[in-house]
Amino acid sequence: MNKKIGAKILGTGSYFPNKVLTNADLEKIVETSDEWISTRTGIKERRIAANGEYTSDLAYKASLEAIKAANIKLEEIDLVLVATITPDMFFPSTACFLQKKLGLNSVPAFDLSAACSGFVYGVATAKAFIEAGLYKNILLVGAEELSKITDWTDRNTCILFGDGAGAMILSASQQNNDILSVFLGADGSYANLLFIPGGGSINPATAKTVDEKLHSMKMQGKEVFKAAIPKMVFAAQKALELSGRKLEDIKLFIPHQANMRIIEAVAKKMNIPMERVFVNIHKTGNISSATTITALDEAIKTGRLNKGDLVELVAFGGGFTWGATVVKV
Ligand code: UT7
């Protein structure tokens, strides 16, 4: 009898653009202070892509690292999946641009849009494709250039976001199943709390939509903050339950890095000591779908996670969307 196919994590990678934008730099752009940003968000600096450096370029560099770590041949990849809300263009998908850059011609490629939960949604998608026997080696990327959809005159939002990309290779295996559980959720009735109103079919681009800055991100921060905490706790508990493991079995929790106060509140509500919670928000800011995967990659590279450890990724974002996954690295 054939054993059920599972998804094995073969390798991860990440890439951040070189330019660092500090809180002190932001003090010169809007009326804010390092003290306000640090105490209200935990962010000290974020990375910003250079002119001419696109989301697919960040995705490309992160992918090369993941492919190297996975020790597989480029030609073995049979699906390219990119989670992003800052694609190179509306279409073709950033996955298609990435596929071309990697030289993987004719391999299927598509984008997935679930805002800050994008990578967790991507893990669920890749797992399902692998378990269904459709693809064997999936390149899953979370890549964002939030700097390109930021209103740099709005101090409520421009201090929060950054650019970056992370990648993972997931591979079909009869022996291993590294994705122990996934739990996803969404509630579209909160769409107008975190969104870009312009550019789509509701408000197609005109001179007026540009004048009114409808092409940059709008957020009701306080409302998003209040919703994020219970939803992240709920998603984390559900995924844990589905994994059949206990809180103590999880070596490290990697929550979405949107605000240090959210991270601490989620940890407190779940009774997880902060030593077991991964935090890198001070150097990255919020990078939406790239957040959990770049954090996971950093945790592996810095030795916070060793082979065989269990880790839980938890995310929340625009939509609203939320999700969590328990994985073995
Ligand atoms: O990726 C998932 C989605 N994103 C999130 O999860 C973000 C969720 N929200 C948040 O992280 C927080 O709500 C923010 C960091 C955005 C804002 O923090 P807050 O504690 O909710 O502050 P607030 O919006 O209530 O503003 C408090 C005060 C206001 O002044 P008044 O009205 O009390 O005089 C703001 O005008 O702080 C002021 N303020 C600032 N002051 C200095 C807002 N932004 C700034 C700023 N610098 N950058």
Side-chain angles (χ1 to χ4, degrees):
M1 202 178 80
N2 275 349
K3 225 181 133 199
K4 195 171 177 283
I5 302 171
K8 185 170 168 50
I9 297 173
L10 288 188
T12 60
S14 56
Y15 177 76
F16 286 94
N18 292 329
K19 185 182 168 188
V20 175
L21 185 73
T22 64
N23 291 349
D25 296 328
L26 281 165
E27 287 175 356
K28 295 176 201 136
I29 304 173
V30 286
E31 202 183 323
T32 191
S33 64
D34 172 43
E35 208 260 329
W36 192 96
I37 303 170
S38 304
T39 53
R40 306 298 274 196
T41 72
I43 302 166
K44 293 300 255 180
E45 59 186 46
R46 64 291 288 145
R47 297 300 182 98
I48 305 291
N51 283 338
E53 187 178 36
Y54 310 125
T55 300
S56 62
D57 295 320
L58 310 191
Y60 173 68
K61 290 187 173 149
S63 299
L64 290 183
E65 247 198 40
I67 292 162
K68 196 168 171 217
N71 199 18
I72 61 165
K73 292 199 193 76
L74 199 55
E75 315 81 80
E76 291 178 80
I77 293 167
D78 52 5
L79 177 68
V80 178
L81 192 48
V82 177
T84 187
I85 50 163
T86 48
D88 287 16
M89 293 180 184
F90 252 134
F91 77 92
S93 67
T94 301
C96 280
F97 285 114
L98 174 61
Q99 184 237 44
K100 164 82 178 131
K101 283 177 184 165
L102 288 167
L104 284 168
N105 301 337
S106 85
V107 163
F110 68 95
D111 285 1
L112 187 156
S113 169
C116 302
S117 312
F119 190 79
V120 175
Y121 268 62
V123 170
T125 309
K127 169 182 161 70
F129 271 134
I130 286 172
E131 286 178 358
L134 277 169
Y135 301 106
K136 285 200 169 66
N137 295 298
I138 299 178
L139 168 61
L140 171 63
V141 181
E144 302 287 5
E145 292 196 353
L146 297 174
S147 63
K148 304 274 174 69
I149 55 162
T150 294
D151 175 356
W152 290 100
T153 65
D154 175 15
R155 71 174 183 175
N156 290 295
T157 53
C158 75
I159 54 138
L160 296 170
F161 302 101
D163 302 338
M168 179 184 274
I169 304 287
L170 295 114
S171 186
S173 167
Q174 300 241 323
Q175 285 81 43
N176 301 80
N177 174 28
D178 291 344
I179 315 297
L180 275 66
S181 66
V182 275
F183 176 79
L184 307 177
D187 189 344
S189 51
Y190 294 102
N192 62 349
L193 294 184
L194 180 51
F195 68 138
I196 296 181
S201 61
I202 297 179
N203 294 304
T206 60
K208 190 163 171 271
T209 62
V210 173
D211 281 350
E212 291 175 354
K213 297 193 170 158
L214 299 189
H215 299 278
S216 52
M217 199 181 337
K218 314 286 172 210
M219 181 173 73
Q220 304 287 325
K222 241 185 195 0
E223 300 309 313
V224 178
F225 188 104
K226 277 192 271 179
I229 299 164
K231 285 297 183 216
M232 286 173 78
V233 170
F234 178 67
Q237 285 171 342
K238 279 284 181 193
L240 195 60
E241 203 178 298
L242 290 168
S243 73
R245 301 302 176 105
K246 294 195 176 59
L247 208 58
E248 309 81 78
D249 300 330
I250 307 295
K251 175 86 180 289
L252 194 64
F253 287 84
I254 301 188
H256 178 53
Q257 313 275 310
N259 187 313
M260 190 59 200
R261 290 182 293 143
I262 297 178
I263 297 170
E264 284 171 345
V266 170
K268 193 164 173 223
K269 277 191 190 304
M270 291 188 69
N271 263 324
I272 306 167
M274 283 306 288
E275 304 84 75
R276 281 166 60 211
V277 178
F278 190 84
V279 175
N280 66 356
I281 189 170
H282 50 286
K283 32 182 204 179
T284 62
N286 180 348
I287 37 173
S288 195
S289 67
T291 298
T292 47
I293 176 58
T294 48
L296 176 65
D297 185 56
E298 187 183 330
I300 293 170
K301 280 180 184 151
T302 54
R304 294 272 312 260
L305 286 169
N306 295 309
K307 205 109 216 81
D309 283 342
L310 293 185
V311 52
E312 181 164 26
L313 312 183
V314 191
F316 175 87
F320 290 149
T321 58
W322 53 90
T325 179
V326 174
V327 306
K328 196 193 290 171
V329 293

